[in-house]
Amino acid sequence: MADIYELSIALNLHEGLSDEELAELRWHLGLGPKPEDLRIVPAFPAVVDDDRGEPVTVDDPVPLLGRHGEAWKVHGALVAVLLRPEDAHCGTWALTVRQEIHPDDFDRTGELLGWLATKADDRHRTPVGTVHLGWTRFCESDQFEPLVVRGGEVAWP
């Protein structure tokens, strides 16, 4: 048994995303090159062994929602799509993501999701400020749980 979750996002982002934000988001989605400066999720600490076999912390940036192709545990396909609908007279972006995620990655991915919540169109917000991003599901379950951000923090399963 693996501790893998399905992460599904269906989100409209409001207008006003800067070119830098769009470039970094596209990189996180596996849709573009890595920008020189990462600001949405600025640090990716990883522990590796140095030349003497001693553990050291390095910055190892990786796209957080950028896997495409066959899913390993949740079956089906892993996708990430960001597009501006043809009728987007109001300047919104449509984001659809289906990824596999391990609980070890919740914190770092949560940084990106928290940022996405700040950019979400108002239709995803409740009157108390909770932002509905999508759903999560444990790989062996058929029950989906809401993926929400409250007070800037992702409510993980």
Side-chain angles (χ1 to χ4, degrees), residues 4-25:
I4 300 295
Y5 287 81
E6 176 181 342
L7 172 73
S8 297
I9 298 171
L11 191 62
N12 285 27
L13 305 173
H14 61 70
E15 61 182 305
L17 295 176
S18 70
D19 290 343
E20 293 80 16
E21 289 171 325
L22 283 169
E24 187 169 345
L25 179 56

Side-chain angles (χ1 to χ4, degrees), residues 13-143:
L13 305 173
H14 61 70
E15 61 182 305
L17 295 176
S18 70
D19 290 343
E20 293 80 16
E21 289 171 325
L22 283 169
E24 187 169 345
L25 179 56
R26 283 186 176 110
W27 174 71
H28 276 296
L29 300 173
L31 303 173
K34 180 182 165 290
E36 269 190 49
D37 295 317
L38 297 176
R39 295 186 176 138
I40 298 170
V41 182
F44 292 79
V47 177
V48 297
D49 290 337
D50 67 9
D51 295 339
R52 298 175 309 212
E54 299 292 322
V56 295
T57 302
V58 298
D59 191 40
D60 185 23
V62 293
L64 296 172
L65 301 173
R67 291 189 260 349
H68 297 258
E70 185 178 357
W72 176 56
K73 281 299 221 180
V74 300
H75 306 290
L78 303 179
V79 299
V81 178
L82 177 67
L83 58 87
R84 186 184 294 264
E86 289 181 25
D87 66 349
H89 57 279
C90 61
T92 62
W93 289 88
L95 174 64
T96 301
V97 174
R98 182 173 189 262
Q99 297 285 297
E100 291 177 320
I101 185 169
H102 188 276
D104 289 349
D105 298 320
F106 282 179
D107 288 342
R108 192 168 308 139
T109 302
E111 288 183 58
L112 177 59
L113 298 180
W115 177 84
L116 283 171
T118 69
K119 305 300 182 179
D121 189 87
D122 289 341
R123 75 184 84 184
H124 301 285
R125 296 180 194 289
T126 68
V128 296
T130 299
V131 180
H132 291 265
L133 301 180
W135 309 267
T136 58
R137 175 183 70 86
F138 183 65
C139 68
E140 295 179 358
S141 174
D142 60 358
Q143 298 292 325

